[in-house]
DNA sequence: TCCCAGGCTCTCT
DNA sequence: AGAGAGCATGGG
């Protein structure tokens, strides 16, 4: 790894395609810039990231922050090549994994993941992005030219009418219920990372508007449960069409990653 | 215009 | 326990 004043370079990173990872529907605050780099906000910080050959360059950070924040966020210590190899038990699965071989599962902040996927229900990705942008602009903290993701404390103090400007529809009351349950400690998100998948899922489902799918998204993208397998309309269609309704056994230990390969594969190949 | 979207709640069998 | 309507909003 090479370091200069305001950026770091990570040499020879495998299985990391920025577009595949940042625009595959797992996170909603990344934008591609005119020069092909990507700009995003996470953990209250804004960075730009780009790829040059097989090197990853992160602008707007330093080594200390990289070690404590971005290394984990971008899941850089996981060997995705090995996972892709081990799902060879099924030809369609293998094809999907190879097609999306640059996807990494981002380890997002638990509250942001939970809140974002509450917003995602019965919704489409462009509109999810818009709602989240308005949520941040209205209730996040301003930091020079951007807004952080709102805290649950801030949203716990809101009414559904207060959230009207973000135009989230019927989801507003769900956001508030989630924020209140986290704020008043009836749900401890940090604790959920340690209690095991099933326990964590059922606790999340005590929130109004959180069912198995939204819970699985929070578990996978926010709480580090790589075995969580969010099953939305796209995945259900794909499972029925290609996999007899359920994922092959060889994929189960890292179902969430495989789920993302399938999601990306069917959506990209169905584009006109 | 119309259909549908990274679903869930509520009600009625 | 299983099926189906309704939900807010707006992208394509």
């Amino acid at each position: 790894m090479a370091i200069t004043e305001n950026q770091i370079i990570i040499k020879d990173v495998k299985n990391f395609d920025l577009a595949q990872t940042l625009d595959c529907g797992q996170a909603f605050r990344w934008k591609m810039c005119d020069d092909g780099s990507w700009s995003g906000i996470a953990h209250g910080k804004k960075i730009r990231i780009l790829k040059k050959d097989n090197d990853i360059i992160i602008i707007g950070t330093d080594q200390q922050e990289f070690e404590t924040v971005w290394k984990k966020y971008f899941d850089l210590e996981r060997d995705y090549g090995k996972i892709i190899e081990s799902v060879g038990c099924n030809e369609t699965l293998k094809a999907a994994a190879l097609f999306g071989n640059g996807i990494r599962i981002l380890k997002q902040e638990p509250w942001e993941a939970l809140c974002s996927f509450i917003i995602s229900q019965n919704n489409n990705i462009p509109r999810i992005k818009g709602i989240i942008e308005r949520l941040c602009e209205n209730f996040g903290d301003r930091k020079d030219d951007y807004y952080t993701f709102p805290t649950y404390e801030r949203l716990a103090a809101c009414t559904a009418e207060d959230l009207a400007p973000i135009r989230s529809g019927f989801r507003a009351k769900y956001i508030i219920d989630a924020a209140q349950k986290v704020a008043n400690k009836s749900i401890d998100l940090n604790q959920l990372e340690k209690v095991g998948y099933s326990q964590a899922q059922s606790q999340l489902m005590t929130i109004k508007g959180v069912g198995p799918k939204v819970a699985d998204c929070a578990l996978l993208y926010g709480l580090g449960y790589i075995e969580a397998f969010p099953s939305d309309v796209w995945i259900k269609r794909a499972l029925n069409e290609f996999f007899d309704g359920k994922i092959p056994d060889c994929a189960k230990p890292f179902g969430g990653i495989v789920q993302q390969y399938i999601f990306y594969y069917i959506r990209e190949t169905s584009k006109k």
Side-chain angles (χ1 to χ4, degrees):
Chain A
M1 178 168 36
I3 297 161
T4 60
E5 59 276 15
N6 191 36
Q7 68 178 43
I8 64 148
I9 301 173
I10 312 133
K11 306 290 278 183
D12 197 27
V13 180
K14 295 182 172 54
N15 300 108
F16 191 9
D17 182 279
L18 296 175
Q20 286 186 1
T21 298
L22 302 174
D23 200 28
C24 69
Q26 61 169 323
F28 304 99
R29 300 198 72 195
W30 289 94
K31 287 179 185 166
M32 195 173 75
C33 309
D34 293 335
D35 62 2
S37 68
W38 290 77
S39 169
I41 301 147
H43 292 270
K45 303 166 195 309
K46 182 176 181 179
I47 58 166
R48 268 198 316 130
I49 182 166
L50 60 136
K51 199 170 179 184
K52 191 179 266 185
D53 302 318
N54 280 321
D55 299 341
I56 293 289
I57 302 170
I58 304 179
I59 302 168
T61 192
D62 54 40
Q63 182 174 16
Q64 213 262 325
E65 185 181 286
F66 170 74
E67 293 292 339
T68 57
V69 177
W70 303 113
K71 188 192 272 188
K72 186 164 188 189
Y73 180 84
F74 291 114
D75 204 17
L76 291 175
E77 293 184 296
R78 193 187 304 275
D79 185 348
Y80 281 78
K82 207 166 170 181
I83 293 170
I84 292 169
E85 276 179 33
S86 62
V87 299
C89 66
N90 176 291
E91 286 305 314
T92 309
L93 199 52
K94 189 197 275 187
L98 290 174
F99 185 78
N101 72 76
I103 294 174
R104 288 177 168 267
I105 299 295
L106 301 173
K107 170 68 172 71
Q108 303 177 56
E109 290 176 279
W111 166 245
E112 177 170 345
L114 173 60
C115 190
S116 296
F117 281 94
I118 285 173
I119 291 167
S120 80
Q121 70 180 78
N122 194 243
N123 213 339
N124 57 61
I125 290 177
R127 212 171 82 85
I128 295 164
K129 289 179 178 172
I131 292 170
I132 289 174
E133 191 170 355
R134 293 189 289 277
L135 180 69
C136 295
E137 286 170 3
N138 282 276
F139 301 99
D141 292 326
R142 170 145 202 149
K143 286 208 182 173
D144 65 301
D145 69 333
Y146 65 97
Y147 293 89
T148 61
F149 197 89
T151 64
Y152 48 81
E153 290 96 337
R154 178 76 197 279
L155 294 174
C158 290
T159 64
E161 299 81 71
D162 294 333
L163 293 195
I166 74 172
R167 304 200 297 280
S168 61
F170 63 89
R171 305 165 191 85
K173 54 184 180 290
Y174 299 157
I175 295 170
I176 292 166
D177 187 59
Q180 290 177 346
K181 283 195 167 73
V182 176
N184 73 21
K185 309 290 182 196
S186 68
I187 289 178
D188 181 340
L189 291 176
N190 293 323
Q191 188 63 20
L192 286 193
E193 300 200 34
K194 305 169 195 158
V195 300
Y197 168 78
S198 302
Q199 258 246 12
Q201 194 202 36
S202 46
Q203 284 201 40
L204 287 173
M205 287 172 62
T206 63
I207 299 166
K208 284 183 199 132
V210 176
K213 193 274 175 181
V214 170
D216 275 345
C217 286
L219 293 166
L220 175 61
Y221 304 118
L223 294 164
Y225 287 97
I226 215 69
E227 70 268 40
F229 190 88
S231 194
D232 71 335
V233 290
W234 296 87
I235 292 293
K236 284 172 185 161
R237 281 199 288 258
L239 287 182
N240 288 328
E241 188 170 345
F242 301 115
F243 302 99
D244 272 343
K246 58 189 268 289
I247 55 164
D249 287 337
C250 68
K252 291 219 169 120
F254 21 78
I257 297 175
V258 165
Q259 174 269 160
Q260 198 61 42
Y261 290 145
I262 297 170
F263 183 78
Y264 180 73
Y265 182 70
I266 54 177
R267 285 171 57 90
E268 287 298 315
T269 55
S270 68
K271 280 181 182 172
K272 299 156 272 295

